[in-house]
Structures are given as C-alpha cells and as structure tokens.
Amino acid sequence: KPLYEQLHAYVRTKLHNSYGKDIVKNSGPIPAHLLGNMWAQSWGNIADILKPYPNKPSINVTGEMIKQGWTPTKMFQKADDFFQSMGLDKMPDKFWSGSILEKPADGRELTCHASAWDFYNGEDFRIKQCTRVNQEDFVTVNHEMGHIQYYLQYKNQSYFYRSGANPGFH
C-alpha cells in the first residue's frame, strides 16, 4: 500500500488503542478534533501516542545533514524525491530556476518567511525561503513543497478551483 495509507492506518490504530473504539473506529477517517488545532494540522499533542519507540530519545538530524554536506538545494531535492515516491509530479525546471532557496548573497533585502507561489499560468511555481541546513528548515522545505504539489495538481483547473479543497489543508 502507498506510504500515506500506511501512515493513516498507523495513526488511526494508535489513536484507537489510546481513545477506544467509540471515539476512533477501526477503519475510516480519523476524528479531526483529536489532531491538535481546528485544521488538524498540529499533531504535537498526540506525539506521545504516535511515537513508535517511546523509550528512545528524540533525534535531530541537523548534525548529520551538515556532516553529509547537505545544501539548501539538496534539501529541496530530497523533498522532491519524497513527493515523487508517492506518485506525485517531479518539480518542473522552472521551479528550480525561478525559486529562491537561500538568502541572496548579493545584499538584496527580502522577507525570509518561507512561502510558496503559483503564478497562475500553469507552468510557473516557486518557493521563496532563506533556507538554512537544519532539521527545522527541512520540515519547512517539505511543507512548502507540499503547497507546490497542490499547485501542480490544480494547474489545469479554473482559477476558482486552484486553492485547497479546505483551508485545513494548509
């Protein structure tokens, strides 16, 4: 089965075991109100339930990324590989040539808050992020690349249908 189905089943099973069959059924959707904020985005409050090895310490991969010589570009390439492994589209060439993946070295000022952009022409999708090689930014890279994947999937739709099906998908 695809990774996303395996992950969904894992989370549902863990929550079922923790909350019981009356709240979390053996199959079907996961009740969104258990997953943090009102959009079911912040899963930090259930991390203790989902952690596969609760007696093991949490890890931070920053040191290993630096040791292996990762760059901001490599972080985005790895995220692209991840999305492709789920059957989603490869990032188009224009993405790589048009995006700003790290703070410009030429002294230009820009807001470094990460953001994903759809230029609504069906071919130009970009990310602006002043990426640093660390675990926190790698999570953000994957988040922003998720937005671009939505844009790629919706590119042939009318402008009115190009945003997520629900604001909770942000």
Side-chain angles (χ1 to χ4, degrees):
K1 294 206 175 229
L3 176 62
Y4 69 90
E5 286 186 25
Q6 294 176 49
L7 289 173
H8 185 273
Y10 175 82
V11 171
R12 186 181 57 240
T13 299
K14 289 289 200 173
L15 292 173
H16 173 85
N17 293 342
S18 181
Y19 289 103
K21 65 180 181 180
D22 292 336
I23 295 175
V24 182
K25 309 293 182 213
N26 282 327
S27 62
I30 297 169
H33 70 283
L34 300 178
L35 302 178
N37 66 14
M38 64 193 265
W39 301 279
Q41 293 172 306
S42 301
W43 292 26
N45 66 315
I46 59 170
D48 58 327
I49 297 169
L50 301 181
K51 191 172 179 182
Y53 304 102
N55 297 325
K56 298 288 182 182
S58 295
I59 61 168
N60 185 316
V61 298
T62 300
E64 191 60 29
M65 292 167 72
I66 292 168
K67 181 179 167 186
Q68 292 183 20
W70 281 39
T71 63
T73 299
K74 183 168 186 170
M75 293 166 67
F76 281 88
Q77 289 168 337
K78 291 295 185 182
D80 190 23
D81 290 345
F82 168 71
F83 286 106
Q84 287 181 60
S85 77
M86 293 190 293
L88 296 173
D89 293 343
K90 177 181 178 183
M91 287 293 119
D93 290 339
K94 275 192 169 184
F95 168 82
W96 297 108
S97 64
S99 292
I100 297 174
L101 305 182
E102 52 190 304
K103 189 171 186 173
D106 61 10
R108 277 183 290 162
E109 289 292 323
L110 78 140
T111 302
C112 282
H113 181 78
S115 56
W117 298 84
D118 178 353
F119 286 84
Y120 296 99
N121 62 8
E123 59 184 47
D124 196 356
F125 310 94
R126 304 179 195 180
I127 287 176
K128 177 198 54 73
Q129 180 175 334
C130 299
T131 315
R132 298 156 301 166
V133 178
N134 62 47
Q135 178 172 304
E136 181 181 359
D137 278 15
F138 191 43
V139 169
T140 304
V141 164
N142 281 273
H143 174 93
E144 297 303 330
M145 291 286 271
H147 287 297
I148 299 295
Q149 280 297 334
Y150 268 100
Y151 301 155
L152 289 171
Q153 303 310 312
Y154 292 149
K155 69 183 180 185
N156 296 318
Q157 297 291 326
S158 159
Y159 167 82
F160 296 106
Y161 300 110
R162 284 195 179 182
S163 59
N166 181 302
F169 290 135
H170 174 247

